[in-house]
Amino acid sequence: MVKRKKTGTLIVLSGPSGAGKGTICNELLKQVDTLSLSISMTTRSPRGNEADGKDYYFVTKEQFEEDIKKGNFLEYAKVHGDNYYGTPKKKVEESLASGKDIILEIDIQGALEVKEKMEEGIFIFIMPPSMRELKDRLVKRNTESKDKIIERFKNAYKEINEVTKYNYIVINDEVQNAVDKVKAIILAEKCRVDRIEDFELNNEEELLHELLTL
Ligand code: 5GP
């Protein structure tokens, strides 16, 4: 019998804005019921029907900076301008300790910070099929001003160079295709020898005796 390690698996989905990591993450959560999401904290205002505690914990800059001081974040960064985004440390640590898998959907600066601290995580880079497609998606989603779109697009060109620091790359050509690939990665990772704690073998002499007395 193979005894697996009791700790959960940390999965980090990351990639440039417009690559579709949010959509992939939501689909994964619907399709894999053993997976839980790390809800980030942010100082940006809620959009549309976003809810506090579900999409993000929406807080003021003062509250966020207080949490930085207290060391409550696994990572945090200023993303696309002046807003803070951060991963609360407690939920991640509790999930992993109790054997639950947890997924983080965060930007590239944050993902690399987590990698420094938790090498054993699975770091997946979500890549758009082409930069033209990324540009079109940023325009179509209609959530940012033209200036913001240009800023995100320029950032994306720089960020793509960080891909070599990740363990896996998934091209988001079609959502279900990409989701299937992420599921396959998680499954394969769970079979890794270094995620096994021990073997429990039956008693060799007893089995040999059974063989000899056939
Ligand atoms: P949005 O404002 O569109 O929800 O998110 C903007 C960016 O912030 C996205 O690239 C998203 O992945 C990233 N993000 C969300 N939560 C976190 C977090 O906790 N930490 C970091 N570093 N990035 C985050």
Side-chain angles (χ1 to χ4, degrees), residues 13 15-17 21 40-41 44 47 50 56 75-77 79-80 85-88 105-111 141 144 152:
L13 269 199
S17 189
K21 54 191 188 295
S40 296
M41 195 175 274
R44 86 146 161 78
R47 294 187 196 121
E50 283 182 336
Y56 283 105
E75 64 72 35
Y76 69 91
V79 186
H80 307 309
Y85 292 79
T87 305
E105 188 258 283
I106 60 177
D107 90 318
I108 292 167
Q109 315 165 65
R141 79 180 178 188
E144 280 87 24
R152 287 182 182 219

Side-chain angles (χ1 to χ4, degrees), residues 41-45 52 57-68 73 82-84:
M41 195 175 274
T42 183
T43 57
R44 86 146 161 78
S45 317
D52 186 46
Y57 295 108
F58 296 101
V59 297
T60 61
K61 192 166 174 248
E62 290 69 34
Q63 283 171 296
F64 199 103
E65 287 176 345
E66 192 56 38
D67 273 323
I68 297 177
F73 291 111
D82 215 27
N83 281 316
Y84 281 119

Side-chain angles (χ1 to χ4, degrees), residues 3 16 18 21 32 47-49 52 54 72 74 79 98 116 137 144 151 156 164 167-168 175 178 180 183-184 193:
K3 257 173 58 185
K21 54 191 188 295
V32 185
R47 294 187 196 121
N49 54 4
D52 186 46
K54 182 175 163 278
N72 288 345
L74 176 61
V79 186
S98 64
E116 299 261 300
R137 285 182 193 170
E144 280 87 24
E151 185 187 321
T164 52
N167 306 116
Y168 295 95
V175 176
D180 286 342
K183 286 202 271 190
V193 171

